[in-house]
Amino acid sequence: AIIPAVPLPVATEDGLLEAYPLAILRRRLTGHGSSSTTEVLVQWNHHPKEEATWENYAEFVNRFPAFQP
């Protein structure tokens, strides 16, 4: 019998499934006065859209440089 090889999900050191972005759902500017920050609403693997989180865009790009929205 042939058994297809399916890659196992990657776990963190804590034993949790490693999160990676599936989609950027929205963008927004936040901040006070003249300083503003761009945030993106990210849908993560293993999570529905309702559990998407707002992330700092600059930090997100540094953490996931190969991600293409």
Side-chain angles (χ1 to χ4, degrees):
I2 298 174
I3 301 173
V6 177
L8 294 174
V10 178
T12 65
E13 291 179 8
D14 300 333
L16 302 173
L17 292 177
E18 184 174 52
Y20 60 85
L22 292 179
I24 292 178
L25 305 175
R26 291 183 54 200
R27 298 176 195 274
R28 70 180 180 189
L29 287 177
T30 61
H32 302 290
S34 62
S35 65
S36 64
T37 303
T38 300
E39 293 183 339
V40 289
L41 184 61
V42 180
Q43 180 183 357
W44 301 96
N45 64 317
H46 307 297
H47 295 279
K49 286 182 181 180
E50 297 77 26
E51 294 180 8
T53 58
W54 287 103
E55 306 293 333
N56 177 288
Y57 181 69
E59 293 172 10
F60 178 83
V61 170
N62 285 334
R63 186 172 170 201
F64 301 101
F67 181 74
Q68 296 295 319

